[in-house]
């Protein structure tokens, strides 16, 4: 038995100002029968989904839960929550016989259970309402006995695991233990009661000066002296026959369990991270109890609370292996998102929740194992972004943030990457379709996250064929630009990628570095970055004995201006661009593109003073500007 679907009408952020329509819920969200991870930024609706479930089902920890005025969307007067359960076994279904619905036909009929919670507000006062169930829109009131089989286990965010694990009245640990088969139904006959009663008899004997075996104590009679002194005062208040009786509090099983504390063996003064894992372990024990015909559903908010990244990964790997229990978790952690199967993720954004399973996205079946191999922690950042820029490699990943910051500084943009919540994801290849299809939906509503795909034209200039003496019959094979209709070439990519809120931005020329080198102002900064990169390599390889030499020389000492003037002398901008590519990027394998990009990003921030040095007519980097503007919603 598992929670298959939740529908919400006008509950917190999931609402509408339009007429209340039972056929149009403001959230219609499916869950898997195993692990479900709700991910998204703050205030994206994750907690609202968890609380909606709790309000209907209640929890094993007996929290006081009721709907409040703030749970109503804006000025709405009606809130409705529907929960649909599927996968009921015969043993589970027998607890809800009069409320069941049925799916299928003939021998293939299977039971389902739909719960309803419909609450109205009248003149600011909430009208009391009961949890109902049944196949129709109104349902019938659930009995208290049926509700007991629907309670969930809930771990709150920033939970105080230490407080929940220490001995105290109604401790969470005692509640868990009381429901376990080791203790349930044995309130008067459990073995621990006999042990406890014997302990109490020994306590009594000690304060009477006996050793617990009916013999007087030879030493340590302070306990008897203490009791005798209290008795003396008591007798003066009453009569000489009154005596005190000292014992540990009641020996009922519940009281005994409330005195238990859960610890990690041989560990002293453990931290919150260890206690948090210990607490979760005890809750899983509760969810896996035997001879239980009710739902096994755990709700955990902010699983990563108090856990360092490696511990987070170990915990989520363990939870993915749990059988026969359903878990619905919330997280802000890219570490967790990177370790979870894509089908288990639910993306909360734009006032809706979007499962990423096969039936919901444009991803193909083969895309899921591919993405699960390559969605590392850095790429999993994409699940938490309000806008995305997918790029091929490290060069774009380094340059675009600096370019965006400079455009923001110069008032060309109203938002930079940080203020717009935009992430850059370098996928390390050109398999954009697999990543972008994560955000394409098979049906409405669409995600609406602006996704920019930045890619090179990958068609080489004429100078390339001249330099490498490529024959006419080989030019198309070698991607020489003159052999292609560039507009048609770009349009073909656009047809593939421009869908819903995803757009591709392709350069008009060969590569990113070549486009930058075609720019009359930025080409000089690119050359400066190359000169500095060469100096860094020279410094790394220095093997002389000159002790006065101290690391990398600053660019001011490298005769950069003189070298630049000599390099561009009598050259067109196209020739400058090709020579930069040929001499320093294609032919010079010692300099990495990432090193050049790192210095270029640095010099871009310091050397550009005016917008005119970036924004020019027939701009070779216009595709970068367009991609940034779209993803950052400028």
């Amino acid at each position: 038995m598992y929670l298959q679907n939740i529908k919400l009408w006008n509950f917190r952020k999931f609402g509408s100002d339009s007429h209340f329509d039972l056929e149009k819920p403001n959230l219609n969200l499916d869950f898997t029968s195993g692990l479900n991870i709700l991910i998204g930024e703050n205030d994206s609706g994750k907690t609202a989904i968890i609380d909606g479930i709790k309000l209907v089902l209640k929890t094993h920890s007996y929290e006081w839960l009721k709907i409040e005025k703030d749970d109503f969307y804006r000025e709405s007067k009606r809130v409705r929550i529907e929960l649909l359960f599927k996968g009921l076994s015969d043993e589970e279904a027998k607890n809800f016989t009069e409320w069941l619905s049925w799916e299928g036909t003939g021998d293939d009929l299977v039971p389902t259970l739909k719960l309803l919670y419909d609450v109205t507000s009248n003149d600011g006062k909430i009208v009391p309402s009961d949890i109902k169930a049944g196949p129709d829109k109104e349902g019938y009131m659930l009995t208290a006995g049926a509700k007991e089989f629907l309670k969930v286990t809930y771990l709150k965010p920033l939970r105080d695991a230490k407080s929940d694990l220490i001995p105290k009245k109604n401790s969470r640990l005692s509640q868990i233990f009381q429901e376990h088969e080791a203790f349930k139904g044995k309130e008067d006959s459990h073995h621990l009661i006999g042990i406890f009663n014997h302990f109490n008899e020994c306590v009594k004997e000690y304060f009477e000066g006996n050793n617990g075996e009916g013999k007087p104590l030879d030493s340590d009679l302070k306990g008897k002296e203490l009791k005798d002194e209290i008795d003396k005062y008591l007798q003066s208040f009453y009569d000489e026959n009154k005596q005190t009786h000292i014992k540990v509090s009641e020996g009922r099983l519940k009281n005994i369990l409330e005195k238990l504390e859960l610890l990690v063996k041989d560990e002293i003064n453990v931290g919150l991270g260890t206690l948090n894992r210990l607490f979760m372990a005890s809750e899983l024990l509760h969810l896996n109890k035997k001879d239980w015909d009710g739902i096994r559903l755990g709700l955990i908010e902010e699983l990563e609370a108090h856990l360092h990244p490696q511990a987070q990964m170990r915990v989520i790997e363990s939870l993915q292996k749990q059988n026969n229990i359903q878990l619905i978790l919330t997280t802000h952690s890219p570490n967790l998102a990177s370790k979870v199967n894509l089908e288990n993720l639910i993306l909360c954004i734009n006032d809706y929740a979007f499962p990423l399973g096969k039936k919901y996205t444009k991803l193909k079946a083969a895309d899921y194992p591919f993405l699960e191999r390559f969605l590392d922690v850095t790429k999993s950042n994409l699940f938490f972004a309000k806008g995305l820029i997918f790029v091929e490699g490290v060069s774009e990943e380094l340059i675009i943030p600096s370019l965006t910051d400079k455009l923001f500084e110069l008032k060309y943009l109203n938002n930079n990457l940080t203020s717009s919540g935009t992430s850059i994801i370098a996928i390390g290849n050109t398999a954009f379709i697999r990543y972008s299809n994560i955000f394409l939906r098979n049906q409405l509503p669409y995600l609406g996250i602006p996704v920019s795909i930045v890619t090179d034209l990958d068609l080489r200039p004429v100078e390339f064929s001249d330099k490498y003496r490529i024959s006419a019959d080989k030019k198309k094979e070698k991607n020489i630009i003159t052999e292609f209709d560039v507009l048609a070439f770009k349009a073909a990519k656009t047809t593939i990628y421009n869908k819903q809120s995803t757009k591709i931005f392709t350069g008009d020329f060969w590569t990113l570095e070549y486009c930058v080198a075609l720019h009359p102002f930025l080409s000089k900064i690119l050359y400066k970055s190359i000169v500095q990169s060469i100096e860094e390599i020279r410094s790394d390889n220095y093997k002389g004995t000159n002790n006065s030499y101290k690391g990398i020389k600053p660019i001011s000492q490298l005769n950069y201006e003189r070298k630049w003037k000599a390099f561009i002398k009598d050259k067109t901008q196209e020739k400058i661009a090709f020579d930069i590519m040929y001499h320093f990027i294609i032919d010079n394998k010692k300099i990495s593109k990432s090193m050049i990009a790192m210095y270029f990003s640095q010099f871009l921030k310091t050397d550009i003073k005016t917008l005119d040095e970036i924004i020019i007519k027939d701009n070779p980097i216009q595709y970068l500007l367009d991609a940034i503007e779209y993803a950052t919603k400028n």
Side-chain angles (χ1 to χ4, degrees), residues 29 34 173 249 306 322 330 345-346 454 497:
L29 174 60
L173 186 64
S249 61
H306 309 305
Q322 297 298 317
T330 71
L345 295 178
I346 299 170
V454 176
Y497 289 101

Side-chain angles (χ1 to χ4, degrees), residues 160-178:
D160 185 357
K162 183 175 182 179
S163 175
D164 285 312
L165 292 173
I166 62 174
K168 64 180 180 180
K169 187 172 181 61
N170 292 322
S171 70
R172 181 67 190 131
L173 186 64
S174 69
Q175 293 172 7
I176 293 171
F177 281 14
Q178 285 178 77

Side-chain angles (χ1 to χ4, degrees), residues 253-268:
L253 184 59
K254 179 177 183 294
N255 301 114
I256 295 171
L257 296 180
E258 288 172 348
K259 293 177 174 63
L260 299 182
E261 182 177 7
L262 189 61
L263 304 168
V264 178
K265 187 178 180 181
D266 299 328
E267 294 283 343
I268 300 173

Side-chain angles (χ1 to χ4, degrees), residues 542-590:
Y542 178 71
K543 296 180 180 178
T545 58
N546 185 357
N547 293 326
S548 65
Y549 178 72
K550 305 257 182 166
I552 304 170
K553 290 181 180 178
I555 196 72
S556 59
Q557 298 178 17
L558 297 176
N559 299 316
Y560 150 71
E561 291 285 353
R562 179 178 59 79
K563 291 180 180 179
W564 170 246
K565 290 176 181 177
F567 181 79
I568 65 173
K569 186 177 181 181
D570 300 327
K571 291 180 182 176
T572 63
Q573 194 64 46
E574 289 76 12
K575 178 62 174 171
I576 291 170
F578 182 77
D579 281 357
I580 287 176
M581 290 293 295
Y582 176 75
H583 290 293
F584 304 114
I585 296 177
I586 298 174
D587 200 45
N588 192 331
K589 303 299 182 184
K590 293 180 179 179

Side-chain angles (χ1 to χ4, degrees), residues 376-618:
D376 56 25
V377 173
T378 54
K379 295 182 185 67
S380 291
N381 182 44
L382 63 89
F383 295 122
F384 301 88
K386 292 181 179 178
L388 287 162
I389 302 176
F390 285 118
V391 298
E392 292 182 26
V394 176
S395 295
E396 294 91 342
E397 189 180 24
L398 291 171
I399 290 171
I400 289 177
S402 293
L403 179 60
T404 306
D405 287 343
K406 179 56 67 172
L407 293 170
F408 179 67
E409 177 190 323
L410 297 173
K411 310 299 183 186
Y412 180 79
L413 299 176
N414 296 321
N415 296 314
N416 60 10
L417 298 179
T418 303
S419 62
S420 65
T422 302
S423 293
I424 296 182
I425 309 296
I427 66 173
N429 53 57
T430 57
F432 292 114
I433 197 74
R434 283 180 148 159
Y435 287 89
S436 62
N437 278 357
I438 294 173
F439 300 93
L440 299 183
R441 308 299 292 178
N442 284 326
Q443 60 188 30
L444 290 168
Y446 296 149
L447 268 165
I449 298 176
V451 178
S452 293
I453 297 173
V454 176
T455 185
D456 298 331
L457 185 68
D458 287 327
L459 298 180
R460 293 164 171 152
V462 175
E463 291 89 346
F464 187 94
S465 62
D466 295 341
K467 192 72 177 180
Y468 292 94
R469 299 177 183 178
I470 297 171
S471 60
D473 61 323
K474 294 286 187 181
K475 284 186 177 181
K476 188 157 190 177
E477 178 187 331
K478 296 296 184 181
N479 286 346
I480 304 304
I481 196 168
T482 53
E483 307 303 303
F484 295 85
D485 180 337
V486 174
L487 291 179
F489 188 81
K490 292 176 67 174
K493 289 187 175 184
T494 300
T495 301
I496 295 171
Y497 289 101
N498 280 25
K499 295 174 182 176
Q500 296 177 25
S501 58
T502 298
K503 291 186 179 182
I504 193 167
F505 298 87
T506 307
D508 290 328
F509 307 98
W510 186 9
T511 67
L512 168 71
E513 291 82 6
Y514 187 72
C515 290
V516 171
L518 283 172
H519 194 289
F521 295 100
L522 299 182
S523 56
K524 183 177 179 181
I525 296 177
L526 180 61
Y527 183 82
K528 180 179 179 180
S529 306
I530 291 167
V531 172
Q532 189 70 69
S533 297
I534 292 171
E535 167 59 15
E536 180 176 328
I537 292 170
R538 189 194 71 78
S539 170
D540 289 344
N541 295 331
Y542 178 71
K543 296 180 180 178
T545 58
N546 185 357
N547 293 326
S548 65
Y549 178 72
K550 305 257 182 166
I552 304 170
K553 290 181 180 178
I555 196 72
S556 59
Q557 298 178 17
L558 297 176
N559 299 316
Y560 150 71
E561 291 285 353
R562 179 178 59 79
K563 291 180 180 179
W564 170 246
K565 290 176 181 177
F567 181 79
I568 65 173
K569 186 177 181 181
D570 300 327
K571 291 180 182 176
T572 63
Q573 194 64 46
E574 289 76 12
K575 178 62 174 171
I576 291 170
F578 182 77
D579 281 357
I580 287 176
M581 290 293 295
Y582 176 75
H583 290 293
F584 304 114
I585 296 177
I586 298 174
D587 200 45
N588 192 331
K589 303 299 182 184
K590 293 180 179 179
I591 311 175
S592 70
K593 292 170 68 173
S594 58
M595 184 187 297
I596 296 171
M598 179 192 69
Y599 280 117
F600 182 82
S601 301
Q602 175 184 323
F603 296 143
L604 189 65
K605 292 179 179 180
T606 57
D607 292 13
I608 294 294
K609 305 299 182 185
T610 67
L611 199 55
D612 292 339
E613 293 174 294
I614 299 176
I615 309 301
I616 61 172
K617 185 179 180 181
D618 300 325

Side-chain angles (χ1 to χ4, degrees), residues 27-55:
L27 177 70
N28 185 353
L29 174 60
D30 291 341
F31 298 106
T32 69
S33 59
L35 183 65
N36 301 267
I37 308 285
L38 298 167
I39 57 178
E41 63 172 346
N42 292 329
D43 301 320
S44 61
K46 303 186 298 296
T47 296
I49 294 169
I50 296 291
D51 286 351
I53 297 170
K54 286 167 53 189
L55 273 169

Side-chain angles (χ1 to χ4, degrees), residues 247-418:
K247 68 170 187 174
V248 184
S249 61
E250 289 185 74
R252 295 168 53 205
L253 184 59
K254 179 177 183 294
N255 301 114
I256 295 171
L257 296 180
E258 288 172 348
K259 293 177 174 63
L260 299 182
E261 182 177 7
L262 189 61
L263 304 168
V264 178
K265 187 178 180 181
D266 299 328
E267 294 283 343
I268 300 173
N269 295 330
V270 296
L272 288 175
T274 297
L275 289 172
N276 192 15
R277 280 176 278 182
L278 191 59
F279 185 39
M280 285 190 282
S282 64
E283 292 289 357
L284 286 175
L285 167 74
H286 181 62
L287 287 171
N288 275 307
K289 61 187 177 184
K290 298 178 182 178
D291 301 324
W292 169 246
D293 298 329
I295 189 171
R296 300 172 185 269
L297 172 58
L299 308 175
I300 306 177
E301 291 202 72
E302 297 179 17
L303 177 67
E304 66 273 18
H306 309 305
L307 298 179
H308 66 82
Q310 291 302 320
Q312 293 174 27
M313 292 185 177
R314 184 159 185 175
V315 168
I316 201 65
E317 280 187 351
S318 173
L319 294 180
Q320 285 192 99
K321 296 174 184 176
Q322 297 298 317
N323 296 318
N324 303 320
I325 65 173
Q326 185 182 23
L327 294 168
I328 301 175
L329 320 177
T330 71
T331 186
H332 301 113
S333 170
N335 292 285
L336 292 177
S338 71
K339 296 296 288 185
V340 175
N341 294 333
L342 204 56
E343 287 190 281
N344 298 123
L345 295 178
I346 299 170
L347 184 58
C348 296
I349 193 168
N350 293 338
D351 298 338
Y352 210 76
F354 302 88
L356 298 184
K358 294 183 178 70
K359 63 184 282 191
Y360 309 103
T361 75
K362 294 290 185 183
L363 290 167
K364 297 176 182 177
D367 292 334
Y368 282 87
F370 171 86
L371 290 168
E372 283 158 12
R373 284 194 301 271
F374 290 100
L375 275 174
D376 56 25
V377 173
T378 54
K379 295 182 185 67
S380 291
N381 182 44
L382 63 89
F383 295 122
F384 301 88
K386 292 181 179 178
L388 287 162
I389 302 176
F390 285 118
V391 298
E392 292 182 26
V394 176
S395 295
E396 294 91 342
E397 189 180 24
L398 291 171
I399 290 171
I400 289 177
S402 293
L403 179 60
T404 306
D405 287 343
K406 179 56 67 172
L407 293 170
F408 179 67
E409 177 190 323
L410 297 173
K411 310 299 183 186
Y412 180 79
L413 299 176
N414 296 321
N415 296 314
N416 60 10
L417 298 179
T418 303

